[in-house]
Amino acid sequence: MSTKIVLNKKNANDEFGILSIQSFDNGKKIKKSIGIRVTIDDFKNHFNSDFNSFNPKETRFKDINSKLSECIYKFENGIEITKEYKSDITPIIDKVENNIIDNRLSFIQYFNSRMELKLTEGHKYSYLNVRRKLDKYLNYLGKKDLYFDEFTPDFIVKFNTYCLTIVCLQTKVDFS
């Protein structure tokens, strides 16, 4: 199976296009849209078709490259590609350039991507339970996101204590 990334334009004079995965399997052409919107100039000047990724030296393409590798993995293994990228109206490159200011990596985003890769519903449900408890704990702390630099052994101990406290409060029996 030969897999490559291609750029599709709706009209010939468009300034941007949508990235898609294309493969040839025994002469059968399969194409699946990834939904990442990229300008034509960026694709021509910075995309390396041998590696199916953009120039890794430029930081604005790192997010796109990670999403491309994730989508290629899902495509080749028959996993449904999530539609979250398809709802974007603005080009993803602009979003990446705005997010360069905050170089912190989100543990929540990483956890969600790991949860999507689980094949069985039982595994997904167990991850979802942990994610819900983590969301409740972050809400308790007054935070919306957890970054890797905040994910310390001290945080894990406090989170574990919080989970045990909540379980004890929920299962408390009143004999009066």
Side-chain angles (χ1 to χ4, degrees), residues 115 117-129:
M115 189 168 52
L117 294 176
K118 296 301 173 189
L119 297 177
T120 62
E121 291 299 318
H123 286 111
K124 286 181 184 179
Y125 188 71
S126 62
Y127 271 64
L128 184 61
N129 281 336

Side-chain angles (χ1 to χ4, degrees), residues 49-172:
S49 59
D50 294 334
F51 297 107
N52 279 332
S53 64
F54 286 90
N55 184 358
K57 292 180 183 176
E58 294 195 36
T59 56
R60 64 184 179 147
F61 295 120
K62 286 184 180 180
D63 189 37
I64 294 175
N65 284 340
S66 65
K67 289 181 182 180
L68 285 177
S69 61
E70 177 185 338
C71 289
I72 289 172
Y73 171 79
K74 287 181 177 182
F75 182 77
E76 289 178 345
N77 292 304
I79 302 170
E80 181 66 29
I81 297 174
T82 57
K83 300 186 186 343
E84 63 184 309
Y85 310 131
K86 291 185 180 181
S87 63
D88 285 344
I89 296 172
T90 58
I92 197 162
I93 292 175
D94 294 339
K95 289 183 179 181
V96 173
E97 287 174 351
N98 293 337
N99 289 336
I100 289 175
I101 298 167
D102 188 14
N103 289 332
R104 299 168 74 190
L105 298 173
S106 171
F107 178 77
I108 300 296
Q109 290 177 350
Y110 169 76
F111 195 83
N112 287 340
S113 66
R114 294 297 300 170
M115 189 168 52
E116 289 175 6
L117 294 176
K118 296 301 173 189
L119 297 177
T120 62
E121 291 299 318
H123 286 111
K124 286 181 184 179
Y125 188 71
S126 62
Y127 271 64
L128 184 61
N129 281 336
V130 173
R131 171 66 202 277
R132 286 178 183 159
K133 290 177 185 176
L134 184 59
D135 285 342
K136 286 181 183 179
Y137 182 62
L138 290 176
N139 190 23
Y140 172 76
L141 293 177
K143 295 182 177 183
K144 293 186 178 185
D145 203 354
L146 175 67
Y147 298 100
F148 274 102
D149 59 346
E150 299 172 335
F151 194 74
T152 61
D154 185 45
F155 176 84
I156 294 171
V157 169
K158 289 179 181 178
F159 176 58
N160 186 23
T161 305
Y162 173 81
C163 289
L164 292 173
T165 304
I166 294 300
V167 168
C168 290
L169 291 176
Q170 289 176 348
T171 59
K172 189 174 183 180

Side-chain angles (χ1 to χ4, degrees), residues 2-17:
S2 173
T3 304
K4 67 179 185 175
I5 302 294
V6 295
L7 184 70
N8 293 323
K9 299 187 297 183
K10 287 188 176 183
N11 298 320
N13 49 349
D14 280 345
E15 295 179 9
F16 63 89

Side-chain angles (χ1 to χ4, degrees), residues 5-12 14-22 29 31-40 43:
I5 302 294
V6 295
L7 184 70
N8 293 323
K9 299 187 297 183
K10 287 188 176 183
N11 298 320
D14 280 345
E15 295 179 9
F16 63 89
I18 306 294
L19 294 178
S20 298
I21 299 175
Q22 180 176 327
K29 180 178 169 183
K31 196 179 218 181
K32 179 75 175 170
S33 174
I34 299 173
I36 298 175
R37 190 172 166 185
V38 178
T39 63
I40 305 293
F43 188 78

